[in-house]
Amino acid sequence: MEAIIVALIGLAGSAAGSLCGVLVSSKLTHYRLEQLEKKVEVHNQVIDRVYKLEERTELQEEKIKVANHRIEDLEKK
């Protein structure tokens, strides 16, 4: 009878230890995912800004080309 009680206490201790380990691991994983999501969001914002800057640069380059053509036309006259 004592052996059964000792075994049940050991089982309860093992189960509690395993459950605590799973909970701690889950919290750590959740925290790390949140941190990764924050980094991804910052990265995506940078990519969006770079894309907008590239669009502006292309527009400015086109304006410069048009202005240069106008200057050349005026110089020819």
Side-chain angles (χ1 to χ4, degrees):
M1 183 70 169
E2 288 180 20
I4 294 174
I5 293 173
V6 170
L8 289 175
I9 291 172
L11 176 66
S14 295
S18 295
L19 181 62
C20 289
V22 168
L23 290 176
V24 169
S25 176
S26 175
K27 286 181 182 180
L28 178 61
T29 301
H30 182 72
Y31 171 77
R32 293 179 73 187
L33 279 174
E34 284 179 347
Q35 297 306 310
L36 184 59
E37 287 172 349
K38 288 178 185 178
K39 287 182 180 181
V40 168
E41 182 62 30
V42 169
H43 175 264
N44 288 343
Q45 289 174 354
V46 169
I47 295 299
D48 289 342
R49 289 171 56 195
V50 168
Y51 180 73
K52 289 177 184 177
L53 287 172
E54 288 175 345
E55 285 181 335
R56 286 165 144 185
T57 302
E58 289 176 13
L59 180 61
Q60 294 300 323
E61 287 175 353
E62 187 62 32
K63 287 181 178 180
I64 290 171
K65 285 180 186 177
V66 169
N68 285 337
H69 286 298
R70 287 183 179 174
I71 291 170
E72 288 175 8
D73 289 344
L74 290 172
E75 288 175 345
K76 288 180 184 177
K77 290 182 181 181

